[in-house]
Amino acid sequence: KDTVDFFRSFPDATAGFHHFRVDPFDPARVWFTARASGTHTGEAVPGSDAALLFGEVSGKHFTSPPQACSLLFTPEGKVKQFTIGYVMDRCIGNTGGMGGFFGVLHAVGKTLPFEEGKSWAPSWGYALYVEVGRVFGRLRLLTAKDEAERYRLEKAMIKMPAATDDIE
């Protein structure tokens, strides 16, 4: 029996489903976007999984990043597959860049003991990649022949998030 009664713990929660569209490559699939939000104001059933996961009522609000979702239908019109939680921009919201249930837990101060349940953190390889790109970008600017070329190079530079940029 599933004892995680999410809406009892987050009575004002809403999935924020919007932007529904039929997949132009697979007419049996409908894509949509979710931007969930809610506040931890409800008390879970004592001894339930929800009580264990969410703990005491915190009053904390969560705002999820936009997440890509889809429904895949059978020829009879029944849902065959439901996908959710594919974050489109990890910098939006207060869920540590995570979607779905993991993001909600993060926002209310609960962290799961495995990497997928923790806020995004860059690997050393990614941090190195970003820094090397910045160094080469600066070198290109130093070798510009004139201000017009310098301006063009600055505008063409891709602004990647630094390894140290914080995600809420």
Side-chain angles (χ1 to χ4, degrees):
K1 180 179 174 187
D2 181 8
T3 57
V4 179
D5 186 350
F6 181 79
F7 290 103
R8 182 177 173 130
S9 296
F10 296 85
D12 68 340
T14 178
F17 294 139
H18 64 283
H19 193 211
F20 289 82
R21 61 232 179 249
V22 175
D23 188 326
F25 304 103
D26 182 359
R29 185 179 299 272
V30 174
W31 290 97
F32 55 100
T33 305
R35 285 195 68 181
S37 65
T39 311
H40 186 208
T41 56
E43 217 169 295
V45 174
S48 68
D49 291 344
L52 175 68
L53 287 167
F54 302 128
E56 295 294 319
V57 172
S58 67
K60 292 182 179 177
H61 183 79
F62 76 89
T63 304
S64 294
Q67 300 168 66
C69 312
S70 75
L71 294 169
L72 182 62
F73 294 92
T74 66
E76 296 79 34
K78 294 183 178 182
V79 175
K80 177 180 175 179
Q81 182 183 35
F82 174 52
T83 63
I84 191 165
Y86 297 93
V87 172
M88 297 163 72
D89 185 343
R90 63 182 170 77
C91 297
I92 295 174
N94 66 340
T95 63
M98 293 179 284
F101 196 65
F102 293 172
V104 174
L105 288 173
H106 175 84
V108 298
K110 305 296 179 184
T111 306
L112 295 169
F114 43 84
E115 292 306 309
E116 294 82 0
K118 295 179 183 171
S119 183
W120 181 83
S123 65
W124 69 268
Y126 177 78
L128 178 64
Y129 174 76
V130 170
E131 281 308 309
V132 167
R134 286 185 178 167
V135 167
F136 279 106
R138 286 189 210 108
L139 288 174
R140 273 191 222 98
L141 291 175
L142 289 173
T143 61
K145 292 179 242 163
D146 54 32
E147 281 303 310
E149 183 180 7
R150 181 181 173 82
Y151 178 79
R152 184 183 57 75
L153 288 169
E154 280 180 340
K155 291 296 178 191
M157 287 177 68
I158 297 171
K159 306 288 191 270
M160 294 186 70
T164 57
D165 287 351
D166 287 333
I167 301 296
E168 285 187 26

